[in-house]
Amino acid sequence: MSVIQPNNVSPRKPRNELLLKALVIGDYGVGKTAIVRRYTEGKFSSNYKITIGADFAFKSIDWDHQTKVNLQLWDIAGHERFGYMTRVYYKQAAAAALVFDVNRVDTFKSLKKWLLDLREKVQQPDGSNIPVILLANKSDIQQAAVTTDQIVKFCKENEIDQYFLCSAKENTNIEEALHFMVAEVLNSKFKQEVRESITLRNGPIRGTKQACCHLM
């Protein structure tokens, strides 16, 4: 028996399905794999194997009633000897989470190197930087070696979108941080579509600021 819908009920619109690739980068031992597994599997272990080259995990997100986001998180090895391969791993990335261990100053000092490498090798279609968030991991340990003031200063000096004090072990701010990252990608994607639409209607934009719109 078929069901006839009332005339005033419109058929449901097809959902937009987006595939987003995001990088998780930083030194060895800062907890990148633990963050990825916590977010995608809801689990934590202190005995993860060393990442060789790169690994990735997948999470499907029902973003809203019209949008489904299929997120690929690429866990990039932190060992220096794998650095020459980052151009391959970074290809087509839409965003990045830059991770350090708040209890190891050396991992904080390495952030600049990772960020410069990232921005040298991947940009948005219009040439601007992809969205980046900073994750200060292992914040469950009370005696942090890196202060909040240092983190804030680094973000301001390097145009980092947002930072989060997080803990993969305690599941602190992991969901919130990566939700923010995806939102930044969607905002950026929408702004790009607006710019392209304006360009198609009016020709190349010269001497004007880029259009800025927000989804949230």
Side-chain angles (χ1 to χ4, degrees):
M1 179 178 178
S2 61
V3 178
I4 301 175
Q5 291 185 335
N7 293 331
N8 61 342
V9 177
S10 58
R12 179 177 293 181
K13 295 181 180 179
R15 301 184 73 190
N16 297 319
E17 193 161 341
L18 303 175
L19 176 63
L20 299 180
K21 176 181 177 179
L23 308 172
V24 184
I25 58 178
D27 278 0
Y28 160 72
V30 297
K32 300 186 299 295
T33 301
I35 287 171
V36 170
R37 298 305 174 187
R38 170 62 82 178
Y39 182 66
T40 58
E41 301 174 5
K43 299 177 182 178
F44 173 81
S45 171
S46 58
N47 297 311
Y48 290 114
K49 295 181 179 179
I50 296 174
T51 301
I52 304 298
D55 193 6
F56 72 89
F58 178 87
K59 184 165 183 174
S60 182
I61 307 166
D62 291 320
W63 190 257
D64 56 34
H65 67 284
Q66 292 183 334
T67 308
K68 180 179 181 180
V69 175
N70 296 313
L71 180 64
Q72 282 186 349
L73 287 172
W74 282 65
D75 176 8
I76 308 300
H79 287 81
E80 183 67 29
R81 63 179 180 271
F82 299 117
Y84 72 97
M85 286 294 292
T86 55
R87 187 178 296 277
V88 177
Y89 300 137
Y90 289 177
K91 189 176 181 180
Q92 298 182 332
L98 191 57
V99 186
F100 75 101
D101 180 344
V102 292
N103 308 290
R104 292 166 54 200
V105 176
D106 58 316
T107 66
F108 179 71
K109 291 180 178 179
S110 295
L111 292 177
K112 185 74 172 181
K113 177 197 69 175
W114 284 101
L115 187 60
L116 288 174
D117 186 55
L118 173 72
R119 288 178 170 170
E120 177 186 319
K121 295 173 180 175
V122 61
Q123 294 85 34
Q124 297 194 77
D126 64 356
S128 61
N129 294 325
I130 63 172
V132 176
I133 60 171
L134 180 62
L135 304 185
N137 194 32
K138 305 188 182 182
S139 63
D140 53 286
I141 300 176
Q142 297 299 316
Q143 299 298 323
V146 181
T147 68
T148 301
D149 287 343
Q150 289 175 296
I151 297 171
V152 170
K153 181 181 178 183
F154 178 85
C155 289
K156 288 182 178 179
E157 290 177 348
N158 294 281
E159 299 180 346
I160 301 293
D161 298 305
Q162 184 62 280
Y163 78 90
F164 294 85
L165 298 175
C166 64
S167 168
K169 180 179 180 180
E170 300 293 335
N171 196 20
T172 304
N173 279 337
I174 302 299
E175 186 83 23
E176 292 82 355
L178 295 176
H179 180 95
F180 178 90
M181 183 185 69
V182 172
E184 288 293 284
V185 174
L186 297 181
N187 287 343
S188 179
K189 179 178 174 61
F190 187 64
K191 285 186 284 186
Q192 177 68 21
E193 290 173 352
V194 169
R195 288 195 293 272
E196 290 174 353
S197 176
I198 293 172
T199 302
L200 288 172
R201 291 200 308 269
N202 303 326
I205 302 171
R206 292 187 176 89
T208 60
K209 294 182 178 179
Q210 296 176 338
C212 181
C213 301
H214 295 280
L215 296 179
M216 296 179 67

